[in-house]
Amino acid sequence: MFSFHHVARSALILTLSGLYAASAVGQSLKNPALGQIAGQQTRHIATYFPGRMAGSPAEIIAADYLNQTLNKMGYQSRLHAFDAKYLYTSQDGRQNWHTVHATSVIADRVGIVPQQIVIVAHFDTYLPQSDEDSDRNLGGLTLQGVDDNASGVGVMLELADRMSKLPTHYSLRFVALSAQESGEQGASDYLANLNPQEKKRTLLVIHINSLIVGDQLYFSSGVNTSAAVAKLTRDKALSIARGLRIAATTSPTGTSCCEGMKALDGEHIPLLLVSASDWRLGKKDGLQQRAISPHFPTGTSRYQGQIDNLQYLDRYLPGRIEKREKDSVRILLPLLKALANPPAQE
């Protein structure tokens, strides 16, 4: 377990060593094409912040990087620290509760009215929760987490960058959650810190998660999202995708519960869930991302450091990272622009 002082000391060392690389992301993009920011941010986060487990040194420096990046875009961004607990199972079957000090990032930009649209992506990687996890090399210090979920954070950052240049009717909030890989505690903590008025002001939460490995993009609504909101969000996203000739669909029911957002769905906060998977594989949960193959023997890359890394994905899914980041931005940016600036009512 990491102490706070260990985290802070390691963060300082690693932050200083990565300053040039961090600044290079922004400096290399003068007039970026759609998706270019997302692709570069995805690669940057995966490369410089592997092992972003909640409470780890890599997590806190990644949070600091995201916080600084969003502040430079003009958002009022802040770090939000909280304690998360998880049950660790040893090889002999004994179980013990472990506590970690996690850090999320919350960035706001005020619109004409206080009602807000929230864009969420978790940035933490899987924290092994048993000796068996460690034996199977699930999670740990070397997991780059390209698909899960540097890909979602990259798209979130490009949306934040491009929306920062536009006036909006509704307020915007961008949230990078931690401790999602420890029982979705980041989302639960975020919800617990919203007062009743803030919950009421939340018009929509767009959750972006795991965009690369899955066979195609899926846009689904939360189970408790109204049909009217689903039409304006899920159905509109799919319409934009069709117009751009981007392969995208929704779950068999059009809804999903809830890809890390179960706590928010339970509060009937409207959700648009964006991810890549393949619901056609006979699975009712959509968790199998693609057909089982020699390169993806479980049909997923989830938590697997030997697969969910840049070198492996570039080799066996060449060009996929840039394509998916671009496609996701091409769909979500016009959608977000339209939602943030609705037509004036007569």
Side-chain angles (χ1 to χ4, degrees):
M1 188 180 300
F2 300 99
S3 71
F4 177 78
H5 294 295
H6 182 193
V7 169
R9 183 167 58 252
S10 300
L12 177 61
I13 294 169
L14 291 171
T15 299
L16 289 173
S17 67
L19 276 178
Y20 175 78
S23 62
V25 173
Q27 291 175 355
S28 64
L29 302 175
K30 298 302 182 183
N31 295 296
L34 285 179
Q36 189 177 358
I37 296 172
Q40 290 202 15
Q41 289 287 3
T42 295
R43 289 182 178 276
H44 181 82
I45 291 164
T47 300
Y48 290 96
F49 313 121
R52 306 178 296 278
M53 300 171 289
S56 69
E59 181 244 24
I60 197 168
I61 60 168
D64 184 63
Y65 169 74
L66 295 172
N67 185 50
Q68 290 188 46
T69 299
L70 287 161
N71 269 311
K72 287 177 182 177
M73 292 177 186
Y75 292 89
Q76 295 296 313
S77 186
R78 65 189 187 277
L79 298 173
H80 170 73
F82 62 101
D83 288 329
K85 299 173 69 174
Y86 67 98
L87 193 62
Y88 191 90
T89 304
S90 61
Q91 204 163 29
D92 59 9
R94 287 184 297 176
Q95 294 184 313
N96 294 289
W97 284 102
H98 290 192
T99 300
V100 294
H101 195 64
T103 306
S104 292
V105 182
I106 302 173
D108 291 301
R109 181 163 175 258
V110 177
I112 295 173
V113 298
Q115 287 81 7
Q116 65 179 1
I117 298 169
V118 183
I119 299 87
V120 176
H122 80 86
F123 71 96
D124 62 311
T125 54
Y126 186 68
L127 178 65
Q129 295 172 37
S130 67
D131 287 344
E132 182 183 2
D133 280 352
S134 297
D135 291 343
R136 295 169 57 201
N137 295 315
L138 298 181
L141 295 171
T142 61
L143 174 59
Q144 286 191 337
V146 179
D147 180 66
D148 186 18
N149 184 38
S151 65
V153 177
V155 168
M156 184 187 78
L157 288 175
E158 175 153 352
L159 294 175
D161 183 72
R162 294 186 183 278
M163 292 302 296
S164 70
K165 301 171 176 62
L166 304 173
T168 59
H169 179 77
Y170 292 123
S171 299
L172 296 176
R173 170 172 284 183
F174 292 85
V175 182
L177 291 176
S178 185
Q180 280 297 93
E181 300 290 13
S182 305
E184 304 177 10
Q185 293 182 74
S188 296
D189 172 79
Y190 175 76
L191 180 65
N193 282 278
L194 294 179
N195 61 42
Q197 187 178 27
E198 289 173 318
K199 291 179 185 177
K200 188 175 181 180
R201 288 202 301 252
T202 302
L203 302 176
L204 176 71
V205 172
I206 301 174
H207 181 237
I208 311 172
N209 187 43
S210 297
L211 301 173
I212 309 303
V213 173
D215 280 334
Q216 60 181 328
L217 289 171
Y218 280 78
F219 294 83
S220 301
S221 297
V223 172
N224 290 312
T225 299
S226 71
V229 172
K231 182 177 180 180
L232 290 171
T233 57
R234 178 197 65 207
D235 296 351
K236 181 61 176 176
L238 293 174
S239 176
I240 293 171
R242 284 193 297 271
L244 295 170
R245 297 184 179 180
I246 296 171
T249 186
T250 188
S251 69
T253 63
T255 63
S256 179
C257 191
C258 299
E259 298 176 20
M261 297 288 107
K262 188 173 183 179
L264 279 69
D265 189 72
E267 289 287 326
H268 290 250
I269 292 175
L271 298 175
L272 174 62
L273 307 168
V274 185
S275 64
S277 191
D278 197 331
W279 286 77
R280 301 169 297 182
L281 296 171
K283 301 287 185 179
K284 294 182 179 179
D285 54 16
L287 292 179
Q288 188 169 338
Q289 296 170 290
R290 57 191 303 110
I292 290 173
S293 68
H295 302 311
F296 296 92
T298 63
T300 76
S301 63
R302 199 169 286 111
Y303 312 152
Q304 301 170 63
Q306 70 275 24
I307 293 178
D308 195 6
N309 65 72
L310 291 168
Q311 183 178 10
Y312 195 93
L313 296 180
D314 282 339
R315 180 177 181 182
Y316 294 112
L317 295 175
R320 176 67 70 84
I321 294 173
E322 278 66 33
K323 184 179 189 307
R324 276 289 167 76
E325 298 292 272
K326 180 179 180 180
D327 286 349
S328 299
V329 171
R330 291 176 72 202
I331 296 168
L332 287 172
L333 183 60
L335 176 68
L336 186 55
K337 286 179 178 178
L339 293 173
N341 286 300
Q345 299 295 318
E346 293 293 336

Coordinates of all heavy atoms in Angstrom, one line a residue, residues 8 21 23 37 42 62 75 145 157 173 177 315 318 329 346:
A8 N 3.5 11.6 -2.9 CA 3.8 13.0 -3.2 C 5.3 13.1 -3.7 O 5.6 13.8 -4.6 CB 3.6 13.9 -2.0
A21 N 7.8 16.2 -21.9 CA 6.8 15.4 -22.7 C 5.4 15.9 -22.5 O 4.6 15.9 -23.5 CB 6.9 13.9 -22.2
S23 N 4.5 19.0 -22.0 CA 4.3 20.3 -22.8 C 4.3 20.0 -24.3 O 3.7 20.7 -25.0 CB 5.4 21.3 -22.4 OG 6.7 20.7 -22.8
I37 N -6.0 15.5 -31.4 CA -5.7 15.7 -29.9 C -6.0 14.5 -29.1 O -5.2 14.1 -28.3 CB -6.6 16.9 -29.4 CG1 -6.2 18.2 -30.2 CG2 -6.4 17.1 -27.9 CD1 -7.2 19.3 -29.9
T42 N -4.2 10.2 -25.8 CA -4.3 8.7 -25.4 C -2.9 8.1 -25.3 O -2.6 7.4 -24.4 CB -5.2 8.0 -26.4 OG1 -6.5 8.5 -26.4 CG2 -5.2 6.5 -26.2
A62 N -0.9 11.5 -12.8 CA -1.8 11.6 -14.0 C -3.0 12.6 -13.7 O -3.4 13.4 -14.5 CB -2.4 10.2 -14.3
Y75 N -10.8 26.1 -18.1 CA -11.7 25.5 -17.2 C -11.3 25.8 -15.8 O -10.1 25.9 -15.5 CB -11.9 24.0 -17.4 CG -12.6 23.7 -18.7 CD1 -11.8 23.5 -19.9 CD2 -14.0 23.6 -18.8 CE1 -12.4 23.2 -21.1 CE2 -14.6 23.3 -20.1 CZ -13.8 23.1 -21.2 OH -14.4 22.8 -22.4
G145 N -3.2 0.6 -20.0 CA -4.6 0.9 -20.0 C -4.9 1.8 -21.2 O -5.6 2.8 -21.1
L157 N -10.7 14.9 -23.4 CA -9.8 16.1 -23.5 C -10.0 16.8 -24.8 O -9.9 18.1 -24.8 CB -8.3 15.7 -23.3 CG -8.0 15.2 -21.8 CD1 -6.5 14.8 -21.8 CD2 -8.2 16.4 -20.8
R173 N -19.2 20.4 -17.7 CA -18.4 19.9 -16.6 C -17.7 18.6 -17.2 O -18.3 17.8 -17.8 CB -19.1 19.5 -15.4 CG -18.3 18.7 -14.4 CD -19.0 18.5 -13.1 NE -19.0 19.7 -12.3 CZ -19.5 19.9 -11.0 NH1 -20.1 18.8 -10.5 NH2 -19.4 21.0 -10.4
L177 N -12.5 10.4 -13.5 CA -12.7 9.7 -12.3 C -11.6 8.7 -12.0 O -11.1 8.1 -12.9 CB -14.0 8.9 -12.4 CG -15.4 9.6 -12.4 CD1 -16.5 8.7 -12.6 CD2 -15.5 10.4 -11.1
R315 N 0.3 -3.3 -33.2 CA 0.7 -4.4 -34.0 C -0.5 -5.2 -34.5 O -0.5 -5.6 -35.7 CB 1.6 -5.3 -33.2 CG 2.1 -6.6 -34.0 CD 3.1 -7.4 -33.2 NE 3.6 -8.5 -33.9 CZ 4.4 -9.5 -33.5 NH1 4.9 -9.3 -32.2 NH2 4.8 -10.5 -34.2
P318 N -3.6 -2.5 -36.3 CA -2.9 -1.3 -36.8 C -3.9 -0.2 -37.3 O -4.9 -0.4 -37.9 CB -2.2 -1.9 -38.0 CG -2.9 -3.2 -38.3 CD -3.4 -3.7 -37.0
V329 N -14.7 11.4 -31.8 CA -14.8 12.9 -31.8 C -15.7 13.4 -32.9 O -16.5 14.3 -32.6 CB -13.4 13.5 -31.9 CG1 -13.5 15.0 -32.1 CG2 -12.5 13.2 -30.7
E346 N -39.5 29.4 -29.2 CA -40.4 30.5 -29.6 C -41.3 30.9 -28.4 O -41.8 30.1 -27.7 CB -41.3 30.1 -30.7 CG -40.5 29.8 -32.0 CD -39.9 31.1 -32.6 OE1 -40.4 32.2 -32.3 OE2 -38.9 31.0 -33.4

